[in-house]
Amino acid sequence: MNTLPLRSRRGRAALAALLAVAVGFTAAGCTGTDANATGSTSAGSEALSIAYLPKLLGNPYFDNASKGAKEATTALGGTFTEVGPAVAAADAQVSYINTLAQQQVGGVVLSASDPSALGQALTTAREAGTKVVTFDSDVEPQYRDMFVGPATDESISKAMVDQLVAQIGDSGDIAILGASANAANQNAWIGGMNTYIASNFPNLKVVDTFYGNDDDQMSFDKTAASLQKNPNLKGIIASTNVGLAAAARYISQSSFKGKVALTGLGTPNATKAFIQDGTVKSFVLFSPADMGYLASYAIDALRKGTITGTEGDKFSAGRLGDYTVGANGVVYVGAPIIFDASNIDQYDF
Ligand code: RAM
């Protein structure tokens, strides 16, 4: 199995947990779309209420994270709800945050479409007593209590580039397909790929960077356009699961199949068919469910006052074990996982 070394016991635990969650998938996350559906509880009271707010609904990556957040909330005896927009847009997230603050929800598990545009709404929510833990895509640190990242940005960027280089070698034209242009995680990962390429593979040229906004059709169309515009492309890296699946669908049905390599971040179920037909040889992810799970435990510890989100704070997160908060209130769940034909059948999400 072409897997990056898991860096620690925690990394192995994360992988084991991912498998465990993949197997026990029937306890699906709530997918309500109405912020008013929140089972709200006074922010200062004992009972835990957590609202899960992804960049957008209907994305299997966020559905998996929701599952983990709900699992943890339930284990902690709390009430859980999921709300969110249909498209990845920061202004849509603002109105959900405002509603949740009015409802005095205990905590929000949030993947942000923009690092600063949600700032005012989050500040108001926190002043009303709501704890805010971002996951996957952060806001500026002053707007939240903690951030739960999947793995370091550097490790994710490196893993994606290394998968492509393993397929096409260390020279030639490549393109990057991102999710939404303002999201902190996308900018960190795309910036990280450019930095890693510049210092390690000077003959690899990123000739096009385009964004599909986590929209299947937009990702599909922009992949087609980039391939037309850049006839020498040897490979594409999609740092978004929606983008990877859409780009794979396009390439698999086109004359570029077998000529243009494709990798990036994907969910196993959406990418499996393209591993099987050879469009994608390998791709990268981590455990969305573990991120959601850890974020819910962080909210509980913040509400109990066990931690404040300061560097060095320690808390326990159920089946994932013990964590120590790092600089800027950041906790990383684990390490990237490499998926290919040898292991993809082990995963179901
Ligand atoms: C998209 C989103 C998300 C990212 C995944 C891999 O769904 O942009 O933030 O982490 O891809």
Side-chain angles (χ1 to χ4, degrees):
M1 181 168 84
N2 183 18
T3 304
L4 288 184
L6 295 176
R7 293 170 307 158
S8 63
R9 200 162 59 83
R10 178 167 299 157
R12 288 192 294 276
L15 177 56
L18 176 62
L19 284 164
V21 170
V23 170
F25 241 36
T26 46
C30 165
T31 52
T33 57
D34 179 3
N36 294 314
T38 304
S40 69
T41 308
S42 169
S45 76
E46 290 296 311
L48 177 68
S49 62
I50 289 182
Y52 173 80
L53 173 53
K55 287 180 182 170
L56 75 169
L57 298 177
N59 175 332
Y61 173 89
F62 288 118
D63 289 348
N64 187 243
S66 172
K67 203 159 297 214
K70 185 180 185 187
E71 179 196 351
T73 307
T74 305
L76 289 161
T79 57
F80 179 84
T81 190
E82 174 170 337
V83 296
V87 294
D91 55 351
Q93 288 191 306
V94 166
S95 54
Y96 283 101
I97 293 163
N98 288 338
T99 303
L100 293 168
Q102 282 160 14
Q103 294 173 330
Q104 295 189 295
V105 69
V108 179
V109 174
L110 165 72
S111 174
S113 280
D114 188 290
S116 56
L118 313 181
Q120 200 183 333
L122 292 174
T123 300
T124 304
R126 291 173 73 209
E127 282 170 2
T130 298
K131 301 297 181 189
V132 175
V133 174
T134 47
F135 77 99
D136 173 62
S137 189
D138 202 4
V139 292
E140 290 170 17
Q142 69 269 24
Y143 298 135
R144 46 70 171 163
D145 293 286
M146 280 174 57
F147 171 64
V148 174
T152 64
D153 292 333
E154 292 75 17
S155 69
I156 294 167
S157 298
K158 178 179 184 306
M160 288 191 277
V161 173
D162 286 346
Q163 293 313 302
L164 192 67
V165 168
Q167 293 176 45
I168 68 167
D170 62 1
S171 66
D173 291 356
I174 66 166
I176 294 175
L177 163 55
S180 50
N182 293 331
N185 64 337
Q186 293 292 316
N187 285 318
W189 298 339
I190 292 170
M193 286 195 278
N194 281 302
T195 304
Y196 180 63
I197 288 169
S199 13
N200 295 280
F201 309 111
N203 297 321
L204 209 54
K205 302 281 177 226
V206 180
V207 297
D208 195 13
T209 300
F210 55 99
Y211 297 87
N213 211 36
D214 275 345
D215 179 85
D216 176 75
Q217 192 62 45
M218 190 189 294
S219 305
F220 184 93
D221 293 344
K222 287 196 171 183
T223 300
S226 183
L227 284 161
Q228 299 300 334
K229 199 171 61 184
N230 302 286
N232 296 325
L233 273 192
K234 283 171 75 178
I236 298 175
I237 300 176
S239 56
T240 139
N241 62 302
V242 176
L244 182 66
R249 198 170 80 253
Y250 177 75
I251 290 174
S252 70
Q253 298 163 0
S254 76
S255 59
F256 298 106
K257 181 159 185 257
K259 301 195 181 98
V260 176
L262 175 66
T263 189
L265 302 178
T267 49
N269 285 349
T271 319
K272 206 167 277 182
F274 303 110
I275 290 276
Q276 281 158 359
D277 80 1
T279 306
V280 177
K281 298 267 184 281
S282 66
F283 64 99
V284 181
L285 202 70
F286 23 79
S287 171
D290 284 355
M291 264 191 295
Y293 184 93
L294 187 50
S296 289
Y297 267 89
I299 284 177
D300 186 55
L302 287 162
R303 289 186 55 79
K304 287 174 174 155
T306 324
I307 61 172
T308 59
T310 308
E311 184 172 4
D313 281 357
K314 294 181 194 313
F315 66 107
S316 290
R319 62 171 168 76
L320 293 180
D322 298 334
Y323 284 83
T324 302
V325 179
N328 289 319
V330 174
V331 175
Y332 292 111
V333 178
I337 301 165
I338 309 301
F339 300 84
D340 59 23
S342 74
N343 68 349
I344 189 141
D345 289 335
Q346 298 166 28
Y347 298 89
D348 185 19
F349 70 94

